[in-house]
Amino acid sequence: MSEREQVVVNAAAAASYTVVCAHCAELDAAEGSTGSTFAGRLDLDLHHGMFLCRRGHSVRVERAEPPEEQSAADAA
Ligand SMILES: [Zn+2]
């Protein structure tokens, strides 16, 4: 169960994302097919989530920090 985990960073203002599962990309490359992309949704009030690709590999999605907060802190 300690399979290496893929982490994807989602844009701060985006609720949906499309990622390529790294495990599937390797499998697809070996098979000569391309089906490793999957789409998911991380609602704007959530900072992270766990998702499964179509083959069931776990992919962690983290939300990027909003840029406004950092620049506001620097200005103050
Ligand atoms: Zn996969």
Side-chain angles (χ1 to χ4, degrees), residues 15-36:
S16 61
Y17 59 87
T18 303
V19 299
V20 174
C21 173
H23 295 287
C24 286
E26 290 176 13
L27 293 171
D28 287 340
E31 293 172 0
S33 62
T34 55
S36 51

Side-chain angles (χ1 to χ4, degrees), residues 21-25 27 36 38 53-59:
C21 173
H23 295 287
C24 286
L27 293 171
S36 51
F38 73 101
C53 79
R54 67 194 188 90
R55 283 191 175 97
H57 303 126
S58 59
V59 177

